[in-house]
Amino acid sequence: MSLPLRYPRSPMAWATAAMLASLVVLALAGPLLWGAAADRPDPAAVLQGPSAAHPFGTDNLGRDVLDRVLTATRPSLLLALAAVLLGATGGILLGASTAVVGRRARRLLTGLINLLLAFPALLVAMFLAVVFGAGADGAMLALAVAGVPGFARLAQTLAAAVAGTDHLASARVLGLRRHRLLWRHVLPNIAEPLLLSTTTAAGTALVALAGLSFLGLGVQPPGYDWGQLLNQGLDRIYAEPLPALAPGLAVLYAAVAFQLLGEVLAGGVARRSPAPRTPAAPIATSGPATEGLVLQVEDLTVELPTPAGVIRPVRGVSLSLRPGEIVGLVGESGSGKSLTALAIADLLPDRARISRRTLRLLGADLAAMTPKERERHLATGLAMIFQNPASALNPSLRIATQLTETVRTHRGTSRAQALTDASDALRRVALPPAVLRARPHQLSGGQRQRVMIAAGLMVRPSLIIADEPTTALDVTVQRQITRLLSEIRRDTCAAVLFISHDVALVGEFCDRVAVMYAGTIVETLPADRLSTGTRHPYTRALVASVPNLTADRDRPLPTVEGALPEPLAPTPGCPFESRCPRRRDHCTEQAPPLEGLDAVHRVACWNPVAAEVVAS
Amino acid sequence: MSLPHLLRNPWTAFLARRTARLLLSLGVVLTASFAMIRLVPGDPVRAALGVDAAPALVAARRHQLGLDAPFLSQYRGYLSGLAHGDLGTSLVTGTPVAELVRTRLPATLEIAGLAFLVTLAVALPCGLLAAVRTRDGRHPRSELAFTVLTAGLAGVPDFVLAAGLTAFLAVGLQLFPVAGSAGAESFVLPVLALCLAPTAVLVRIVRVEALKVLSEDYLRTARSKRLSPARRYLLHAAPNMATAALTVAGSLLPALIAGTVLVEKVFAWPGIGSALAQSVVTQDYPVVQAMVLILGTTVLLAGLLVDVLLALLDPRSAIRES
Amino acid sequence: MTALQLTDLTVRHHGPRGPVAAVDGVSLEIPPGTTLGLVGESGSGKSSLARAIVGLTPVHGGRVLLDGREVRARTVGDRRRLGRLVQIVLQDPDTALDPRMTVHQTLGEAATVFHRLDRRARAERVTALLELVGLNHRFADRLPRHLSGGQRQRVAVARALAVEPGLLIADEITSALDVSVQAAVLNTIRDLQRRLGLSMLFIGHNLPAVCYVSDAVAVMRHGRIVETAPTEALLRDPRHPYTRTLLASVPSLRTSLPDEGPS
């Protein structure tokens, strides 16, 4: 197993390593070097404050406090580690076994863990330490037992996540025996987080053990650990703070060291270099506006910094929509279609860099506006509908709030007027006004997506961007939603940019289709040409690989062999070149531009498929 | 309404389930506290009275505690005593333990409750603020500082902090009373000692939860509506992280109550915890037994309170639990 | 080849308001060597049905018969007997394989559940299994994170085939995949049917994909089977109104596909 020591060289990691090393050295060497001195009473120097001879003073028998604190490192650490190891072993086995035992045994074990967890570990440890009898072993055992439920719960939660995976279900169905499931499939997959929490728990155990000794339940005189030294010195705190506090400082030091170790192992203190702040290039004003376009995008590029380097998931996309037009943007995962939509709507994550020659919404150049104007222009000119209506609506707010807040913020509409408008918008999407009072979880998936559309309609947008609005919905509901969008287009003349991976759906429902592959648009064509008139080899293969109800079941479906090009190392040539059956030498050298074949059909290919003469 | 019908109501089902769990846990506490005095190694009476106590006195005390009766009737006697508010009698002082609890419980509840409220009041806004500031990999230096600082503070043991606060703020600078409970300023140090580590733990979890909520789709929806940051964070984000944050906060409460034992000892705070600490030293087992019972029950009731509050706040979480 | 027969199978889940029948008295039959497609929308109970057959979900009523004999999945022994006859491939390519085991380890483990194999025999078996699902033997040393979604699903199919079951259940195995990748997995399934003569229950919500690989199709709604018919007959002449709605909802390109694929 490899520890996630991803950034071992950060200064915090070094500091933590040094703190732990000092503890280990003290635990090993402490009793040898200072053990004898720590037990040597000096009646002449009883209860002294700090001095050159005794930097932390002396105790009531004249023994040097510093020597005693240093010597006590070994018992304090050893007992805590033993308690944690015992408790962790028991708890992890108990918790992880819940993932592989039968239903009834699991319920029983879970109930037991819940019951034990109701009591704080320190209280249980105190109780058990009393029952086991005051002493180092009793306290250690008590702590171990008290730690079991916490570890069991953690292991149970982690193991439940593994138990829910398809591979564990498959392993069960294969008939693997329980011990093999546990040791081979469950434990290895939860080991890392468990190790992490064991580290933190070691710190907690050290503190708890010191607490027990502090109460007089732990190490008994003449033995001593930090907790007991603190207890002995506590009465002096009013007169001589330093000798009283010295053992406490040792506990603090060790506890913080273990906490930081957990943090280092979790990768939480990794050296974070500030994200490369490429100064946002002064966005030049857009190119000239074309009359009568709702959306005009030319040469749009998005750059995203990743740990491995900067990638360009969208490269030189040009797109335009006229009023009342439904344009499909279709592509498989990784084609950059969603990022294109987010870039148009100015919703990209902060770290993304966007560049374009032209980006005009309703003819207005977004770059030429003040931020406030831009916000208002986007909020009222554009509506977004997202993929998953279950997560796109805020679960804790009523539908009324979610429908009205945009117009109330940006148009200053009165509350009453906004509510009337909201009822109208709901009626438009065939939902009753009673939905206003509902919360999202009371609606079905299709109803939620209608609410999202109604929220978009509230601003009477000129452009609706729908990003996979039906992917999360059932096929019968999908049909209702696309029909609704068509009606809205007809009634309001809004343009719709419909983003989808489903080429059949896009072909059926859109006027025009743009096909994206690896961040570029490879073909734009009227939707009715998709089935027979495609010219780009990728589009053709994509369409052919979709099984339809009339597919010949005796012939294999055509597939696209190979994989998407590596995003970190783009080649100068055509992105589809490596998978293309019509590849030529020239294709590796230069990317083909998107060129018009006729007034409505454009393709980016050096060697397009010949137009077919098919009577349709 | 018939019983099956009642049980189908999510609320009654939740309450029934939660009450059943409480009763079971209470049974465990009762049995454990009863068994403790019988399980301790050696003779608890002789241990408390000293090795050279007169045999007659020891026998009398044993009889008084009911330790010479058959086991089951001892248990029955213990339970019926509890039902009448009889928590036993101190071996050392001879006073009824119930009296001790009555005078000391309020002081413990005061500092524990206050510390819990302070924890919530500090951790919730700070966690949200930290998440907003460091979301999406922004301000990496702040994030590192936040992580290291909270990890360090989460490791500070409450009783060590208590001792340190006493030394520097009470003895050294004389800003606060050294010990005891008198006046508002006497609360400052115990509450501070109790709530520092839980606050550090909670603020980290709140940040993680807030980051989770901030990356949710509905916050992107809010962004697409171009709402102001204040509205996005306070109206759209905060309510959705409240349940998760309060659940974690609720799970910190038992540990916080247990922490009073050590902190009260340092500040000589006149509560249950210091009484427990003292009786452990004097091996006054009836007192230890009663204090364990009271602390355990307090923890369980606090847990119930938190669960019911959470269910009221977010009814779906209560229903989901089934 | 194994025949499956379900009579009156019922599976209940705990809902917030008491038990809910996810599968409500379903009777089905898969003759040996044939594939039954099972389509339905989310929440129709099709996955609960699949999980109940292999014993991942308890059955509350009715019987599961494999080759005419009733099966149970109470003990590990029952489960092992069941596992020799029926295997399942599940939906999620991200968790389909143990992230810490190489393809070789995963397939080797499955191949040795019921047989002892020495090193060489095991390596040969792994190669043969990979070949069966159309993957090169070089994939054997890879970890799941170095495989694409479609490749992972094909390894999951190979793992299920490692114990040579008579019946394979495929539960939405292509729904998380891109269309071009889905096509490759569907081709693999067709190929396996032909080469191994497997009986199969192919579950999905994508009607064209299910029809493509199935001899007969059952339509499920609200836990019940509303219609079962041979694939051609169902497409030509759907009887139940719900089946007709489903068929009408399937998007299709406006003109039919040309006869030749891309070359």
Side-chain angles (χ1 to χ4, degrees):
Chain A
M1 205 188 71
S2 65
L3 289 177
L5 280 169
R6 267 159 288 183
Y7 306 92
R9 272 176 300 180
S10 81
M12 263 330 288
W14 278 118
T16 308
M19 286 171 84
L20 281 172
S22 66
L23 284 175
V24 172
V25 168
L26 278 181
L28 290 175
L32 304 177
L33 293 178
W34 302 291
D39 285 335
R40 192 180 307 128
D42 182 0
V46 173
L47 290 175
Q48 281 186 352
S51 65
H54 305 290
F56 283 88
T58 57
D59 71 0
N60 53 354
L61 293 179
R63 298 176 293 201
D64 184 83
V65 169
L66 180 61
D67 284 344
R68 288 175 75 75
V69 169
L70 293 175
T71 311
T73 309
R74 184 186 282 181
S76 302
L77 278 186
L78 275 188
L79 286 171
L81 288 180
V84 160
L85 288 182
L86 273 178
T89 311
I92 288 168
L93 286 180
L94 185 69
S97 61
T98 55
V100 298
V101 296
R103 217 173 310 272
R104 211 162 283 167
R106 178 166 65 236
R107 206 171 290 165
L108 205 72
L109 281 178
T110 309
L112 181 72
I113 294 171
N114 279 341
L115 188 68
L116 294 176
L117 266 181
F119 306 102
L122 186 63
L123 196 62
V124 175
M126 279 192 267
F127 171 79
L128 290 174
V130 170
V131 170
F132 293 158
D137 295 343
M140 191 272 284
L141 269 180
L143 262 184
V145 176
V148 164
F151 277 108
R153 163 50 58 85
L154 182 67
Q156 184 196 14
T157 312
L158 294 167
V162 177
T165 60
D166 285 357
H167 71 82
L168 204 82
S170 301
R172 261 171 207 278
V173 174
L174 275 174
L176 294 181
R177 296 185 191 282
R178 276 184 189 140
H179 61 91
R180 187 165 174 96
L181 288 178
L182 181 63
W183 290 105
R184 184 79 209 189
H185 291 274
V186 176
L187 285 177
N189 282 307
I190 63 175
E192 264 180 33
L194 283 177
L195 192 81
L196 265 179
S197 60
T198 310
T199 326
T200 331
T204 317
L206 188 113
V207 171
L209 198 79
L212 288 182
S213 294
F214 179 62
L215 283 180
L217 284 170
V219 177
Q220 299 296 314
Y224 54 94
D225 69 346
W226 289 332
Q228 212 232 343
L229 290 178
L230 187 64
N231 188 21
Q232 286 172 353
L234 187 65
D235 297 340
R236 297 172 64 195
I237 203 159
Y238 311 114
E240 290 286 355
L242 201 55
L245 278 182
L249 292 176
V251 177
L252 181 66
Y253 179 76
V256 170
F258 279 107
Q259 280 284 340
L260 290 178
L261 176 64
E263 209 53 56
V264 169
L265 290 179
V269 300
R271 189 206 299 267
R272 290 169 175 83
S273 50
R277 284 269 163 218
T278 39
I283 300 254
T285 46
S286 287
T290 309
E291 258 323 286
L293 286 184
V294 174
L295 176 71
Q296 185 185 0
V297 180
E298 282 163 15
D299 212 7
L300 173 77
T301 295
V302 174
E303 289 189 350
L304 270 179
T306 67
V310 176
I311 57 170
R312 293 202 301 159
V314 177
R315 299 190 277 172
V317 162
S318 299
L319 202 65
S320 57
L321 270 81
R322 298 180 182 285
E325 194 181 27
I326 301 187
V327 173
L329 187 59
V330 70
E332 298 187 278
S333 43
S335 62
K337 54 189 190 305
S338 289
L339 278 173
T340 304
L342 292 178
I344 294 169
D346 193 21
L347 289 175
L348 285 172
D350 268 3
R351 45 187 204 286
R353 286 278 156 267
I354 177 173
S355 66
R356 84 286 175 283
R357 197 167 68 235
T358 308
L359 178 53
R360 286 177 184 275
L361 183 67
L362 291 171
D365 184 2
L366 293 173
M369 297 178 178
T370 64
K372 194 152 188 194
E373 284 170 349
R374 185 165 59 222
E375 295 281 274
R376 172 163 306 171
H377 190 66
L378 283 168
T380 55
L382 169 74
M384 290 287 292
I385 298 162
F386 296 105
Q387 170 168 357
N388 192 347
S391 57
L393 286 171
N394 194 323
S396 61
L397 295 179
R398 291 187 192 285
I399 300 300
T401 313
Q402 307 199 46
L403 282 184
T404 55
E405 59 187 352
T406 318
V407 286
R408 289 189 30 105
T409 306
H410 294 285
R411 293 234 169 93
T413 314
S414 72
R415 193 181 134 77
Q417 181 61 43
L419 281 173
T420 316
D421 291 354
S423 306
D424 288 344
L426 284 177
R427 196 169 312 128
R428 189 73 207 72
V429 298
L431 288 175
V435 167
L436 283 177
R437 286 189 303 275
R439 286 178 205 271
H441 70 95
Q442 295 162 319
L443 306 175
S444 74
Q447 288 173 327
R448 288 183 203 141
Q449 198 59 298
R450 287 163 189 274
V451 168
M452 279 304 288
I453 295 175
L457 291 179
M458 288 291 291
V459 298
R460 293 188 293 281
S462 307
L463 174 64
I464 297 172
I465 298 182
D467 187 2
E468 303 255 12
T470 62
T471 306
L473 304 175
D474 284 324
V475 60
T476 50
V477 183
Q478 163 173 307
R479 177 53 57 102
Q480 297 162 8
I481 297 292
T482 52
R483 208 169 273 160
L484 179 61
L485 284 172
S486 292
E487 287 167 20
I488 286 167
R489 179 264 301 258
R490 193 191 60 214
D491 298 350
T492 67
C493 238
V496 179
L497 181 62
F498 187 87
I499 295 160
S500 177
H501 68 282
D502 189 336
V503 67
L505 179 67
V506 164
E508 188 184 78
F509 156 69
C510 298
D511 304 322
R512 209 147 54 81
V513 175
V515 182
M516 270 192 96
Y517 179 80
T520 59
I521 290 185
V522 296
E523 188 165 12
T524 62
L525 71 170
D528 54 10
R529 289 194 194 176
L530 260 184
S531 57
T532 53
T534 55
R535 304 292 298 275
H536 196 282
Y538 172 71
T539 317
R540 176 143 304 201
L542 183 69
V543 170
S545 66
V546 180
N548 67 6
L549 290 171
T550 53
D552 182 354
R553 304 207 294 118
D554 291 326
R555 287 173 26 146
L557 292 164
T559 58
V560 193
E561 295 302 323
L564 281 170
E566 184 58 43
L568 280 168
T571 51
C574 171
F576 191 59
E577 170 264 325
S578 66
R579 306 168 80 178
C580 184
R582 303 176 59 83
R583 152 182 73 237
R584 299 213 178 134
D585 289 348
H586 187 52
C587 295
T588 56
E589 289 155 16
Q590 201 183 343
L594 188 65
E595 284 188 337
L597 294 167
D598 54 42
V600 291
H601 196 158
R602 309 212 294 166
V603 65
C605 183
W606 295 121
N607 186 20
V609 188
E612 283 178 55
V613 191
V614 176
S616 54
Chain B
M1 274 199 286
S2 64
L3 186 66
H5 194 86
L6 262 180
L7 281 180
R8 229 168 290 141
N9 179 329
W11 262 105
T12 37
F14 164 73
L15 284 179
R17 201 168 51 234
R18 199 58 190 75
T19 314
R21 206 201 306 168
L22 178 74
L23 290 179
L24 196 62
S25 312
L26 274 179
V28 171
V29 174
L30 280 174
T31 313
S33 68
F34 163 76
M36 185 175 85
I37 204 163
R38 278 91 191 159
L39 287 176
V40 291
D43 184 344
V45 178
R46 194 164 282 281
L49 295 181
V51 205
D52 42 359
L57 180 62
V58 171
R61 277 292 162 88
R62 285 184 66 84
H63 181 72
Q64 185 190 350
L65 283 170
L67 289 178
D68 49 358
F71 195 77
L72 267 183
S73 75
Q74 279 187 42
Y75 195 37
R76 222 175 299 127
Y78 178 67
L79 292 184
S80 77
L82 284 183
H84 293 101
D86 175 14
L87 289 168
T89 311
S90 164
L91 284 174
V92 177
T93 61
T95 51
V97 181
E99 179 63 22
L100 199 64
V101 170
R102 206 179 50 75
T103 52
R104 290 189 162 231
L105 186 59
T108 296
L109 291 182
E110 275 165 16
I111 53 165
L114 209 55
F116 187 61
L117 291 181
V118 171
T119 302
L120 285 180
V122 175
L124 294 182
C126 287
L128 180 60
L129 213 65
V132 168
R133 191 172 161 78
T134 61
R135 73 183 186 281
D136 240 357
R138 289 181 206 202
H139 300 109
R141 282 176 217 284
S142 311
E143 188 185 349
L144 180 61
F146 175 87
T147 311
V148 172
L149 184 71
T150 49
L153 290 182
V156 176
D158 46 17
F159 61 98
V160 172
L161 178 65
L165 288 174
T166 309
F168 292 111
L169 296 184
V171 177
L173 300 174
Q174 305 198 335
L175 291 175
F176 300 100
V178 171
S181 138
E185 62 264 38
S186 65
F187 278 88
V188 174
L189 295 186
V191 168
L192 191 59
L194 270 176
C195 73
L196 184 73
T199 303
V201 171
L202 188 61
V203 77
R204 290 165 70 94
I205 293 165
V206 170
R207 173 174 162 265
V208 171
E209 290 299 331
L211 283 177
K212 236 185 263 168
V213 170
L214 289 180
S215 68
E216 289 281 353
D217 285 353
Y218 50 80
L219 267 127
R220 189 182 54 186
T221 307
R223 215 147 64 88
S224 83
K225 291 175 176 171
R226 320 284 153 179
L227 304 175
S228 67
R231 189 173 173 95
R232 290 208 311 263
Y233 298 137
L234 296 180
L235 189 76
H236 283 260
N240 288 300
M241 50 171 261
T243 312
L246 290 182
T247 307
V248 176
S251 70
L252 292 174
L253 187 57
L256 205 151
I257 293 173
T260 56
V261 178
L262 294 167
V263 172
E264 283 183 10
K265 176 177 157 99
V266 175
F267 290 108
W269 189 261
I272 295 283
S274 55
L276 175 58
Q278 201 184 353
S279 55
V280 161
V281 175
T282 56
Q283 300 192 314
D284 191 350
Y285 287 109
V287 178
V288 176
Q289 181 184 31
M291 296 300 156
V292 164
L293 177 68
I294 294 297
L295 273 180
T297 311
T298 308
V299 163
L300 290 178
L301 291 177
L304 179 74
L305 191 69
V306 167
D307 280 5
V308 170
L309 281 179
L310 279 173
L312 284 174
L313 202 71
D314 183 3
R316 278 174 304 149
S317 74
I319 298 166
R320 224 182 291 129
E321 201 188 349
S322 63
Chain C
M1 264 187 232
T2 303
L4 172 76
Q5 201 185 351
L6 306 178
T7 44
D8 216 15
L9 191 75
T10 300
V11 175
R12 291 194 200 97
H13 289 317
H14 289 283
R17 287 156 200 278
V20 182
V23 178
D24 192 0
V26 163
S27 298
L28 271 184
E29 195 172 352
I30 304 180
T34 66
T35 297
L36 178 72
L38 181 63
V39 286
E41 306 197 316
S42 51
S44 61
K46 50 193 196 306
S47 283
S48 304
L49 179 73
R51 297 175 81 90
I53 296 172
V54 295
L56 286 171
T57 300
V59 172
H60 294 97
R63 298 200 300 169
V64 179
L65 301 179
L66 285 170
D67 283 335
R69 266 177 303 179
E70 178 155 11
V71 293
R72 291 176 308 173
R74 294 243 176 82
T75 66
V76 176
D78 289 342
R79 185 162 280 166
R80 284 171 74 82
R81 268 190 295 281
L82 183 61
R84 278 175 168 240
L85 295 172
V86 193
Q87 283 297 319
I88 190 167
V89 182
L90 297 161
Q91 174 173 10
D92 183 8
D94 292 338
T95 70
L97 305 175
D98 190 325
R100 292 176 179 276
M101 289 169 77
T102 63
V103 170
H104 184 277
Q105 287 170 324
T106 296
L107 295 181
E109 180 184 69
T112 51
V113 178
F114 299 113
H115 308 285
R116 286 190 175 281
L117 291 178
D118 63 23
R119 256 177 91 94
R120 249 191 53 199
R122 193 184 301 199
E124 280 169 11
R125 182 86 180 110
V126 168
T127 309
L129 283 168
L130 284 175
E131 192 267 334
L132 203 56
V133 294
L135 290 176
N136 193 289
H137 65 88
R138 280 174 300 142
F139 283 103
D141 297 325
R142 298 215 187 158
L143 284 169
R145 65 168 176 273
H146 296 129
L147 298 176
S148 71
Q151 287 162 347
R152 275 181 233 156
Q153 284 302 61
R154 283 195 266 177
V155 172
V157 171
R159 175 182 54 198
L161 294 175
V163 298
E164 300 179 341
L167 173 71
L168 184 68
I169 299 177
D171 184 10
E172 298 260 21
I173 59 171
T174 62
S175 34
L177 304 176
D178 273 324
V179 272
S180 62
V181 183
Q182 162 180 293
V185 175
L186 291 178
N187 286 340
T188 304
I189 294 289
R190 288 296 290 162
D191 187 45
L192 289 173
Q193 288 168 343
R194 214 155 286 145
R195 285 168 69 179
L196 303 178
L198 276 171
S199 314
M200 203 181 285
L201 177 62
F202 191 90
I203 298 171
H205 65 269
N206 182 341
L207 197 56
V210 172
C211 288
Y212 180 71
V213 297
S214 307
D215 299 309
V217 174
V219 181
M220 196 166 180
R221 189 188 196 192
H222 301 328
R224 295 165 187 267
I225 303 286
V226 299
E227 182 168 6
T228 309
T231 309
E232 276 78 22
L234 186 98
L235 293 177
R236 204 175 344 105
D237 184 19
R239 296 293 172 85
H240 195 280
Y242 179 65
T243 314
R244 284 201 282 274
T245 314
L246 268 189
L247 280 170
S249 304
V250 172
S252 65
L253 296 173
R254 277 166 223 175
T255 46
S256 62
L257 282 174
D259 276 354
E260 53 178 296
S263 53

